Amino acid sequence: MPPLSNLATRDVETLVHPYINLANFRETGPLIIERGQGVYVYDSEGRPYIEGMAGLWCTALGYGNEELVEAAAAQMRKLSFAHLFTGKSHDPAIELAEKLKEIAPVPISKVFFCNSGSEANDTQVKLVWYLNNALGRTRKKKIISRVKAYHGVTLVAASLTGLPGNHRDFDLPLPGFLHTACPQAYRFAAAGESEEDFATRLAEELDALIEKEGPETVAAFIAEPVMGAGGVIVPPKTYFEKIMAVCARHDVFMIDDEVICGFGRLGTMFGCQKLGFRPQAVSIAKAMSSAYLPIAAVMIPETMYQALLAESKKIGVFGHGFTYGGHPVSAAVALKAIEIYLRDRIVEQAAARAAQFQARLNALNAHPLVGEARGIGLIGGVELVADKRTKRSFAAAHAVGARAVAFAEAEGLIVRSVLGDVLTLCPPLIISAAEVDDLFERLARALDRTLDWVTSGRIAQE
Ligand SMILES: Cc1ncc(COP(=O)(O)O)c(C=O)c1O
């Protein structure tokens, strides 16, 4: 291992990084990114990379967008901070809430601002508990999420998340948070089971779980339209229609986590529109400001708002809010980002680009290391396996996904590896046709190098 640069050494001695083996990291050090332009970022040595993950599924409009920079600077000069507590307000928050109501995928009464996806999902759960207390349903409090879901890392959001690394030794999930089956056909459909039959079985399993717990104790179900960090899992046909029917039958509130899928990722403004379901409440973040500044929101239906009114009247206060919720500079940037999505037809463009992206992604299924390459819109997952026929995964200790990520970086491409050696792809929505081709050529070379490494180390045989 070459010695770390001065900057890398300073990093290792000062920062705790999320989502890394902290012990190994002391040897490898960080990849330090210095600047970005379009779909490219440049490291501290000046090397360019295609940002194949749009940062963390978020920089939808790419880097160096002057309009967004200007929107932030102008707002910062005018009013650098204002809050929404105790009856104060400001223009950018009002305008942004109006715009969100206008583009929302379902009728929305009000918008509550927060700063991250985790805060949005924590807020969703608190609001559902508040709602059921307002309705006198004091036992209806359990929340159902799914195995492999990702909803964030604060205590409640991490409890909703269905990944072992987010629970183990954090004493999570909290009581009252349950996980139903994951809608991943490649891993969990029975042999010969059709997509529709798999979806029916998943809905039956959810129904059975609610019956077992007692419908009078189950408050809400939360789902991402397409699961992102769990490995880019596109549900089988008819899944949401069947799941929604189960929720409706048991009066279970349906929360749609659009933190990744919102703002065009699947080729529609919201993911639920692509997958054909109508949730009751919606969480948004990430691409809402193209990640130029942190901002997130909960979209609240009228029934929920009426409950908030009743409870706050009874208690005397609606006791929830974040200092930076609806920050005027973030709100101004989000407003500008939404203006760009609509004005430049970014969502339609993403839908058009998706055909090429999905064709290139699908072609990776022929690669000897790829068990399944899957996706929709401009998002994809490439699951690496030791044996294509049996779908056997590599032993986690070999860290084959991490190795492929390193080879991709050497090829000038940033991708991510998540649980089970799934490489994830989620480029900025503004990616051009030539850049999509370039991305997949770099990825193919990285996969070939990974295959050589696996073969020469005889790793697949273990
Ligand atoms: C679907 C989904 N929900 C929630 C979150 C959490 O968002 P944050 O990291 O902003 O708290 C994420 C983050 O990746 C996400 O992908």
Side-chain angles (χ1 to χ4, degrees), residues 57 116-118 121 150-152 224 257 259-260 286:
W57 330 81
S116 68
S118 300
N121 290 330
Y150 191 81
H151 298 294
E224 306 152 77
D257 182 343
V259 168
I260 287 180
K286 295 194 190 270

Side-chain angles (χ1 to χ4, degrees), residues 18-29:
Y19 291 100
I20 189 107
N21 177 324
L22 290 169
N24 293 349
F25 175 71
R26 291 192 66 81
E27 306 294 318
T28 57

Side-chain angles (χ1 to χ4, degrees), residues 73-97:
Q75 181 57 43
M76 217 178 261
R77 283 190 198 101
K78 187 174 167 195
L79 179 67
S80 55
F81 177 76
H83 63 83
L84 303 174
F85 280 41
T86 60
K88 305 285 194 306
S89 196
H90 52 80
D91 227 26
I94 298 167
E95 240 191 276
L96 178 58

Side-chain angles (χ1 to χ4, degrees), residues 127-142:
L127 295 191
V128 167
W129 288 346
Y130 215 61
L131 167 76
N132 282 347
N133 286 330
L135 297 176
R137 310 194 297 194
T138 52
R139 293 184 60 222
K140 201 168 171 69
K141 298 292 167 56
K142 291 175 191 163

Side-chain angles (χ1 to χ4, degrees), residues 125 131 153 236 240 274 291 458:
V125 171
L131 167 76
V153 295
F240 274 109
K274 181 76 178 179
R458 300 179 188 285

Side-chain angles (χ1 to χ4, degrees), residues 269-318:
M269 187 56 92
F270 293 93
C272 63
Q273 293 161 326
K274 181 76 178 179
L275 298 191
F277 68 97
R278 294 176 64 76
Q280 278 152 301
V282 182
S283 295
I284 50 175
K286 295 194 190 270
M288 178 175 169
S289 64
S290 189
Y292 275 59
L293 281 173
I295 186 163
V298 172
M299 293 172 148
I300 298 172
E302 180 64 19
T303 46
M304 172 68 81
Y305 179 63
Q306 287 304 324
L308 303 188
L309 279 182
E311 275 296 283
S312 72
K313 190 169 169 193
K314 182 181 85 190
I315 299 166
V317 65
F318 173 59

Side-chain angles (χ1 to χ4, degrees), residues 11 41 56 82 88 91 156 161 199 226 233 245 301 303 311 314 329 335:
D11 175 297
V41 291
L56 286 173
K88 305 285 194 306
D91 227 26
V156 160
T161 289
V226 170
I233 296 163
T303 46
E311 275 296 283
K314 182 181 85 190
V329 183
L335 262 171

